[in-house]
Amino acid sequence: MQIESYVCGAWHRGSNDGRLVSNAITGEPIGTVSSDGIDFAEVRRHGREAGGTALRALSIHDRANRLKALAKHLLGHKASFYEISAKTGATKGDSWVDIEGGIGTMFSYSGIARRELSNEPFSVEGDVERLSAKGSFLGRHILVPKEGVSVHINAFNFPCWGMLEKIAPSLAAGVPVIVKPATPSCYLTEAMVREMIASEIFPEGSIQLICGGVGDLLDHLDEQDSVTFTGSASTGRKLRTHPNIIENSVPFNMEADSLNYSILGENAEPGSPVFDLFIKGLVQEMTVKAGQKCTAIRRAIVPQNRIDAVTEALGAALDKVKVGDPAVEGVRMGALVGTDQREDVWQAVGQLAESCEIVLGGQRDFEVVGADIEKGAFFPATVLRSDNPLENQAPHAIEAFGPVTTLMGYNDRDEAIALAKLGRGSLVGSVVTSDDEEASAVVLGTAAYHGRVLVLNEDCAAESTGHGSPLAPLVHGGPGRAGGGEELGGARAIKHYMQRTAVQGSPTTLTAVTRQYTPGAKPVTDVVHPFRKYFEDLQIGEQLVTHRRTVTEADIVNFGCLSGDHFYAHFDEIAAKDSLFEKRVAHGYFVISAAAGMFVDPAPGPVLANYGLDNLRFIEPVGIGDTIRTTITAKEKIAKDKKPDDKYHTGVVKWAVEITNQNDEPVALYDILTLVEMRGE
Ligand code: NAP
């Protein structure tokens, strides 16, 4: 069988003599992998012209809705992915992380894009920047999709998650993807991409797949394209310094080897809850995916006087981990992805053993359940110990990408922090302690060297996602050895594929460009009250200036009685004179309530509900005798999809509200959000 690529709208078979990939458990051949015959310039052109053009025509929310539909579609086919995943040596739990963890990330990105970004083909970012004294010249940032492709070169350990966590933000951004999975497990990626293409949820050209080498693809990229790489530091360095990548300043995000630490707190007694949590976390990180996790704990940093107790507890826990064919009942750790990888890990353990002592595992002959130890890519859980970890650099620099960790002792907190930093930049660190003062010192002491730090103790353990799990809303990446890149991190990852451009001009021009009202822009007025208009009929910039109202003492007294708020600034003449305001003033909440009374149109109409208020600022006090008036302006419209159970089809309208006094000075500024019915014709 040949593992195929999907390029230029068709499935492509390479030559017959491609690289052979085998079942990690049985060693049986699965197929050959070759990208021979692919015209890589054409692949990029197809991505740009077919995929890019179609994606950029969709709004961000439309792309996000398709992500959700695609995630649902893939979930519906998960059983077949689990079946194939077993061939990579994965247990059911490992496959869950890869398959459902990846699909979950896609769901998350659908939500993040709809919640945090504009419902336009582009997004508007941050506040309006005032650049002139009179306010006729302003600036604001927009983010537009890059007009190229994003090339994702992935590692072998997460053939599904590794793809999905990158394509979800890219597709949400409106940038087509070219996925290049690592060869040893590309057959699982291929199966998932087949379902994506068959679903026809994303336009043709949005998703292409290259199984095998990428040929001269990198030579064809330019400033509109980007590359994200996950894999070994040596390959990453080679690709990052590719002459064309440098020549065209092609953004290159790199995630590479990472020697993540976990520190056991200074006062953790053997048998205490934190001690047990530390051991449990370490065993989990060693055995999930047979330790082939970029976030696995490679360096276990423990108080010097606890080394023996930790070794003993680890030994007891690892003894219970049966290694073998995950299809056999009771097996908890499967195989590495292939025998080449097994030899790589043996080599790394050999190098580590030159300066560290193997204290658990490390023998080539060990019990394998339900499979042939020679044919499958099995590896025993192995623990080493470094006795001079401040001087011995090997465990801080050599990554054995399997079920392998090195124990090292520390004498005081500063030493623990110094050891953590010797990893020279990692994806994640963790400290297991109930002492928040220690936690704070370790987090602040090691954060500059790490992309994420977990503090684990009894308070959060039951719900903690653990040391090794990257999460969609949080950054995944690390400085230095870890590649210096950033993935995930919520909307940040979507923006990575977009160009941030500062737009300068008049308020009216900025309103037209951003499709959001900019204060100072020429308003749109109409004799019809804006609350009587359906969502589609409202124009951005549509404005209502209300009648005036003079605030009286009776207003203050009535509002105080109604709300129960008898704060001295409203009710105590003497204290109010000494206050910041030097007089009694109206309640701020009265002022905004009075404003609502001025701007609403009371009869039933298309405005169905007021569901929030943002950015409220009270600027000037309102005293007895002051006269206020309100201006509301339609600032932004966000169309919503109608769900089957929804009674109405609605959109959200954000209104800028300004309350002014008799001197035309603003006294309060805020945004209100209303749910407005659509005509839906
Ligand atoms: P690798 O050998 O560096 O390969 C990574 C990817 O690069 C594969 O898709 C590989 O394709 C491709 N590649 C290799 N040479 C290339 C070239 N000249 N041009 C274009 N692409 C090329 O790494 P690996 O063995 O797959 O993965 C293990 C390593 O990944 C470990 O060191 C681990 O630390 C790291 N990793 C890091 C993270 C992270 O998030 N930081 C996550 C997972 C893994 P082929 O397979 O076809 O050669």
Side-chain angles (χ1 to χ4, degrees):
M1 186 180 108
Q2 278 193 23
I3 318 299
E4 296 184 343
S5 298
Y6 183 78
V7 288
C8 304
W11 286 95
H12 173 94
R13 266 178 190 209
S15 59
N16 286 328
D17 56 354
R19 251 169 86 185
L20 180 71
V21 285
S22 305
N23 185 311
I25 305 290
T26 62
E28 284 163 13
I30 289 174
T32 56
V33 185
S34 159
S35 61
D36 286 356
I38 292 179
D39 179 339
F40 293 97
E42 245 337 87
V43 174
R44 172 180 170 270
R45 193 197 57 73
H46 183 68
R48 278 187 153 206
E49 292 181 7
T53 308
L55 282 172
R56 288 195 300 278
L58 304 174
S59 76
I60 294 177
H61 291 204
D62 196 352
R63 294 173 211 145
N65 286 333
R66 287 170 195 244
L67 277 182
K68 189 171 169 190
L70 187 55
K72 280 187 183 161
H73 179 83
L74 295 178
L75 214 48
H77 291 81
K78 68 177 181 180
S80 63
F81 305 141
Y82 272 88
E83 208 173 295
I84 300 169
S85 177
K87 299 180 187 174
T88 68
T91 63
K92 212 161 178 198
D94 297 342
S95 298
W96 181 85
V97 175
D98 189 30
I99 296 165
E100 298 194 50
I103 295 173
T105 304
M106 200 168 235
F107 275 121
S108 296
Y109 267 97
S110 171
I112 289 166
R114 280 177 289 134
R115 274 194 312 277
E116 297 185 33
L117 302 177
S118 313
N119 188 16
E120 300 284 349
F122 60 93
S123 196
V124 180
E125 189 182 59
D127 291 332
V128 175
E129 297 295 332
R130 200 181 162 109
L131 306 172
S132 60
K134 291 184 185 154
S136 67
F137 183 61
L138 307 172
R140 200 160 187 199
H141 290 99
I142 60 168
L143 290 145
V144 294
K146 292 204 171 147
E147 295 182 4
V149 294
S150 61
V151 178
H152 301 161
I153 300 175
N154 296 333
F156 62 76
N157 54 343
F158 286 109
C160 300
W161 180 86
M163 162 174 66
L164 298 175
E165 59 114 10
K166 290 175 182 163
I167 71 170
S170 183
L171 293 172
V175 179
V177 300
I178 299 173
V179 180
K180 188 274 180 268
T183 298
S185 54
C186 68
Y187 51 91
L188 176 52
T189 315
E190 184 218 30
M192 200 174 249
V193 172
R194 276 191 190 276
E195 277 308 330
M196 293 185 190
I197 301 300
S199 75
E200 297 185 354
I201 290 170
F202 274 93
E204 170 48 40
S206 307
I207 302 168
Q208 298 187 84
L209 172 75
I210 296 172
C211 290
V214 292
D216 61 357
L217 178 63
L218 299 192
D219 290 321
H220 300 289
L221 303 184
D222 69 20
E223 66 287 342
Q224 290 300 313
D225 303 308
S226 62
V227 179
T228 66
F229 169 83
T230 304
S232 62
S234 56
T235 310
R237 259 193 305 273
K238 193 161 82 189
L239 301 185
R240 176 146 72 183
T241 54
H242 185 287
N244 189 49
I245 298 284
I246 292 173
E247 175 73 23
N248 284 313
S249 306
V250 178
F252 190 97
N253 192 72
M254 177 162 154
E255 301 275 336
D257 314 358
S258 177
L259 289 139
N260 316 292
Y261 79 80
S262 185
I263 291 178
L264 174 64
E266 267 180 301
N267 299 319
E269 296 285 340
S272 66
V274 283
F275 186 92
D276 292 347
L277 283 173
F278 178 80
I279 299 295
K280 194 172 158 201
L282 198 47
V283 170
Q284 184 166 341
E285 292 303 321
M286 287 181 73
T287 54
V288 170
K289 290 290 295 183
Q292 299 166 109
K293 272 171 73 181
C294 51
T295 50
I297 300 166
R298 303 287 172 210
R299 300 175 302 140
I301 302 172
V302 306
Q304 192 65 49
N305 61 359
R306 301 279 181 247
I307 285 249
D308 291 341
V310 167
T311 310
E312 198 181 315
L314 265 182
L318 289 171
D319 263 355
K320 294 187 194 136
V321 177
K322 279 192 191 158
V323 182
D325 180 352
V328 177
E329 185 70 29
V331 167
R332 275 183 50 201
M333 186 164 85
L336 301 179
V337 77
T339 45
D340 288 352
Q341 285 68 31
R342 182 184 64 188
E343 293 320 305
D344 285 350
V345 181
W346 277 122
Q347 197 186 0
V349 168
Q351 285 173 340
L352 285 168
E354 287 171 16
S355 57
C356 304
E357 187 183 338
I358 294 177
V359 290
L360 294 168
Q363 73 286 18
R364 281 196 180 249
D365 190 17
F366 58 100
E367 194 193 348
V368 166
V369 181
D372 183 335
I373 193 170
E374 294 301 327
K375 292 187 179 152
F378 300 100
F379 202 97
T382 297
V383 180
L384 298 103
R385 190 184 69 220
S386 170
D387 288 330
N388 54 343
L390 282 168
E391 292 79 40
N392 178 12
Q393 294 304 305
H396 305 293
I398 298 168
E399 185 198 35
F401 204 58
V404 181
T405 197
T406 302
L407 282 176
M408 45 193 86
Y410 69 86
N411 292 304
D412 58 34
R413 190 181 293 174
D414 288 347
E415 216 171 283
I417 292 171
L419 288 170
K421 288 183 182 178
L422 285 178
R424 304 280 307 276
S426 304
L427 298 171
V428 54
S430 58
V431 49
V432 189
T433 178
S434 300
D435 176 349
D436 284 335
E437 199 264 321
E438 180 181 38
S440 162
V442 172
V443 170
L444 298 178
T446 63
Y449 288 69
H450 294 85
R452 176 164 63 86
V453 184
L454 161 76
V455 181
L456 189 65
N457 57 36
E458 312 91 294
D459 291 345
C460 64
E463 290 195 301
S464 163
T465 48
H467 171 104
S469 305
L471 300 169
L474 302 182
V475 154
H476 172 59
R481 195 189 302 283
E486 278 190 329
E487 290 173 2
L488 303 178
R492 190 216 63 78
I494 302 174
K495 295 177 182 180
H496 174 77
Y497 296 101
M498 304 179 92
Q499 175 61 40
R500 179 178 290 103
T501 305
V503 185
Q504 296 168 288
S506 75
T508 306
T509 305
L510 287 195
T511 298
V513 173
T514 61
R515 300 179 200 167
Q516 291 185 16
Y517 176 72
T518 307
K522 289 182 197 114
V524 178
T525 50
D526 194 347
V527 287
V528 180
H529 190 288
F531 276 27
R532 304 230 62 81
K533 294 193 175 182
Y534 285 97
F535 184 85
E536 296 91 327
D537 302 331
L538 264 172
Q539 287 185 60
I540 297 296
E542 200 151 334
Q543 195 170 77
L544 172 80
V545 182
T546 70
H547 58 280
R548 290 185 296 261
R549 170 173 179 164
T550 301
V551 175
T552 64
E553 188 191 11
D555 289 331
I556 297 177
V557 172
N558 284 335
F559 191 80
C561 292
L562 191 65
S563 63
D565 177 351
H566 292 102
F567 191 61
Y568 72 86
H570 315 306
F571 283 95
D572 180 339
E573 195 72 40
I574 298 167
K577 275 221 168 72
D578 290 339
S579 75
L580 198 65
F581 310 117
E582 298 175 351
K583 61 178 182 189
R584 282 170 66 200
V585 294
H587 302 71
Y589 299 117
F590 165 73
V591 174
I592 59 173
S593 303
M598 289 189 265
F599 68 66
V600 295
D601 185 80
V607 175
L608 303 177
N610 169 0
Y611 85 94
L613 185 156
D614 282 344
N615 309 319
L616 172 63
R617 286 286 173 280
F618 294 118
I619 318 274
E620 290 290 336
V622 176
I624 296 161
D626 282 346
T627 299
I628 56 172
R629 100 180 321 166
T630 306
T631 304
I632 60 163
T633 313
K635 184 174 174 180
E636 192 181 345
K637 289 168 51 176
I638 305 154
K640 285 170 58 125
D641 295 316
K642 187 169 186 289
K643 302 206 179 88
D645 295 343
D646 288 347
K647 192 168 170 191
Y648 298 98
H649 190 188
T650 61
V652 173
V653 179
K654 200 182 256 191
W655 306 85
V657 183
E658 183 182 42
I659 309 173
T660 47
N661 63 17
Q662 60 279 7
N663 303 319
D664 276 339
E665 294 161 337
V667 298
L669 295 172
Y670 52 103
D671 295 335
I672 54 163
L673 304 165
T674 55
L675 213 52
V676 179
E677 191 178 355
M678 290 193 182
R679 255 191 295 105
E681 286 158 6

